Amino acid sequence: MTSLIAGPDRRERCGWVGDDPEYRRYHDEEWGTPLHGDRALFEKMALEGFQAGLSWITILRKRPRFREVFAGFVPELVAEFDDSDVERLMADAGIIRNRAKIEATIGNARIVRSMAEGELDELMWSFAPAPGIRPASFADVPAVTPESTAMSKELRRRGFRFVGPTTMYALMQSAGMVDDHVVGCWRA
């Protein structure tokens, strides 16, 4: 994969975008843009957890259905899901049907519900490193950092699941806690 790729609009973008219009939109409008709010970060945490072992484009394409069946990722609503909801979700081909990930999302919602308003946002952003030098190529982009490892450790200590260091680094990238748009990308 090349570090940069030109889109139909001739803009240079991070090479992972390829020629997929949904990836291009996600790259241009979301990835690396600072994201705040407990609900938004809970959704990001859940979707990154569902992505583990899969491609992100799969999650992007299923995201509207995820939002629909997980009550817009409102933690207070998801926290009320019970065994019948787990079975309903396991039967829904529009999402990733992984029982452990579904149960983790519900359990994580219960933890978020027990937190003060704004606490999840504050907690997660407390691990954002100081702005650094943008990567020159994809070879310079790490999969894990000391900050993502520390975030993962603290979230796990609080009982969150599917929040490993690699998953949390992907969240940090997508939520704009780090900016990994490579040098030369129009977003850089």
Side-chain angles (χ1 to χ4, degrees), residues 1-20 23-24 27-28 138 182-186:
M1 176 187 313
T2 63
S3 291
L4 291 171
I5 188 167
D9 58 2
R10 300 183 190 265
R11 284 183 169 171
E12 294 284 332
R13 291 176 175 81
C14 298
W16 57 263
V17 171
D19 63 357
D20 188 288
Y23 254 174
R24 193 168 37 253
H27 170 274
D28 291 358
F138 282 123
V182 297
V183 171
C185 172
W186 78 269

Side-chain angles (χ1 to χ4, degrees), residues 10 14 41 43 46 75 99 103-104 115 126 129 138 146 154 161:
R10 300 183 190 265
C14 298
L41 289 169
E43 175 181 343
R99 185 176 300 276
E103 290 174 347
M115 299 169 81
S126 74
F138 282 123
E154 178 58 21
R161 294 182 290 161

Side-chain angles (χ1 to χ4, degrees), residues 27-93:
H27 170 274
D28 291 358
E29 298 173 13
E30 294 184 57
W31 194 73
T33 300
L35 179 69
H36 285 280
D38 292 346
R39 193 219 55 81
L41 289 169
F42 169 67
E43 175 181 343
K44 197 66 90 169
M45 178 192 298
L47 293 176
E48 292 289 355
F50 274 103
Q51 185 272 334
L54 302 169
S55 69
W56 185 245
I57 194 66
T58 299
I59 301 302
L60 283 179
R61 289 181 179 144
K62 292 179 178 280
R63 184 167 60 173
R65 184 65 181 158
F66 269 111
R67 286 175 170 163
E68 185 178 338
V69 300
F70 277 99
F73 288 102
V74 174
E76 295 78 13
L77 297 177
V78 178
E80 294 298 320
F81 285 15
D82 59 18
D83 291 343
S84 66
D85 291 298
V86 172
E87 295 311 315
R88 170 182 58 85
L89 294 166
M90 285 295 296
D92 194 318

Side-chain angles (χ1 to χ4, degrees), residues 93-109:
I95 65 167
I96 306 304
R97 295 179 289 182
N98 179 300
R99 185 176 300 276
K101 293 176 180 183
I102 291 168
E103 290 174 347
T105 300
I106 296 166
N108 291 348

Side-chain angles (χ1 to χ4, degrees), residues 110-123:
R110 291 174 180 155
I111 296 167
V112 175
R113 179 179 63 182
S114 73
M115 299 169 81
E117 186 175 334
E119 186 177 351
L120 180 65
D121 184 294
E122 184 178 330
L123 172 67

